Every structure is written in structure tokens, then in C-alpha cells.
């Protein structure tokens, strides 16, 4: 008569249960997330006009790159909207991207995105660094 000893299986099951009970709360809270870094494929911009890139520095200063080769100069939030609307009026297929420093307030980025949506920009992209 052959018998199976189930005691080792019970021990392993209890150890796994304890491990999951300890790690589950750690995963849900207390994990630092570095949002600006992402592993994503580069976007092909061959058929599209040069994008408008809005940069937000860690001090909250706005810069805008209209794709015309000129150096970025500091602008106000209102100027960002006016310049973006002007570019999109002439070239409606122009993409708009926000490049925010990872130390900038999340609310500032969301405010810019919301203002761009209200200004008629259908899609706003967020730029990240690949790792």
C-alpha cells in the first residue's frame, strides 16, 4: 500500500501564504514611482509637420519649441496657448507634446494639458526618457 506524505506540501503552501500576506501591503503603498522614465518605442514623425513641444522646468517656467529652429525662450502660460493655437490653425495636423521636468508639480502639467484641450488641441502627448 503506497501513501503520499502531504505534510511538505502543506508547509510550502503556508510559507507562500505568509510571503504573499507580507508583500501585498508593500506593493499597494510605499513604492516610489519615477513617472518621467518609460520604456516606449519612438514615434515616427516622417509624414507629420514639426511638433510643438512645451517644456516645463522644475521651477515652473514655460518654454515653447515651435519647430522653426529658433532657440527656446521663456514664455507665459497665455503665450503658450496663443502660439499653439496659431501653429495648429495653419497646420492642423501638428502634434503637441509636453516635456515636463520630473520635479515639476503634477498639477502644473495637468493644468497645461487641460488648457490645451480647451484651446482645441485634440491630443496632447507626454515626453519621457527611454531607459
Amino acid at each position: 500500500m503506497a501513501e503520499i506524505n502531504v505534510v511538505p506540501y502543506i508547509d510550502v503552501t503556508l510559507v507562500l501564504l505568509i510571503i504573499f500576506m507580507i508583500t501585498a501591503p508593500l506593493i499597494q503603498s510605499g513604492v516610489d514611482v519615477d513617472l518621467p522614465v518609460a520604456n516606449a518605442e519612438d514615434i515616427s514623425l516622417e509624414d507629420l509637420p514639426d511638433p510643438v513641444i512645451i517644456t516645463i522646468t522644475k521651477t515652473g517656467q514655460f518654454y515653447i519649441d515651435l519647430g522653426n529652429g529658433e532657440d527656446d525662450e521663456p514664455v507665459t502660460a497665455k503665450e503658450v496657448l496663443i502660439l499653439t493655437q496659431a501653429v495648429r490653425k495653419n497646420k492642423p495636423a501638428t502634434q503637441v507634446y509636453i516635456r515636463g521636468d520630473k520635479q515639476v508639480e503634477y498639477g502644473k502639467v495637468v493644468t497645461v494639458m487641460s488648457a490645451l484641450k480647451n484651446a482645441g488641441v485634440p491630443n496632447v502627448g507626454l515626453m519621457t526618457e527611454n531607459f
Side-chain angles (χ1 to χ4, degrees):
M1 180 183 258
E3 292 184 18
I4 297 176
N5 188 2
V6 294
V7 173
Y9 298 118
I10 294 171
D11 290 343
V12 169
T13 304
L14 289 175
V15 168
L16 288 174
L17 178 65
I18 291 170
I19 289 172
F20 288 133
M21 286 173 58
I22 291 172
T23 58
L26 296 176
I27 291 173
Q28 292 176 356
S29 63
V31 177
D32 292 330
V33 178
D34 194 13
L35 290 178
V37 177
N39 187 10
E41 294 182 25
D42 292 337
I43 298 173
S44 175
L45 301 174
E46 296 173 4
D47 299 334
L48 298 173
D50 290 335
V52 173
I53 299 174
I54 300 165
T55 304
I56 306 172
T57 64
K58 64 182 174 183
T59 60
Q61 181 64 50
F62 296 106
Y63 292 85
I64 189 165
D65 178 6
L66 301 174
N68 53 10
E70 296 179 12
D71 291 336
D72 296 345
E73 292 190 20
V75 292
T76 65
K78 190 169 208 151
E79 290 174 325
V80 167
L81 293 177
I82 292 169
L83 291 170
T84 304
Q85 284 178 330
V87 168
R88 287 197 43 89
K89 185 176 181 181
N90 293 331
K91 297 178 184 175
T94 302
Q95 297 291 318
V96 178
Y97 299 111
I98 297 176
R99 187 174 71 185
D101 190 275
K102 64 182 172 183
Q103 295 178 358
V104 74
E105 290 181 10
Y106 180 69
K108 192 159 214 106
V109 174
V110 171
T111 303
V112 171
M113 289 178 67
S114 176
L116 288 170
K117 283 283 197 182
N118 291 336
V121 179
N123 296 319
V124 178
L126 297 175
M127 297 180 71
T128 61
E129 292 182 18
N130 289 334
F131 58 86

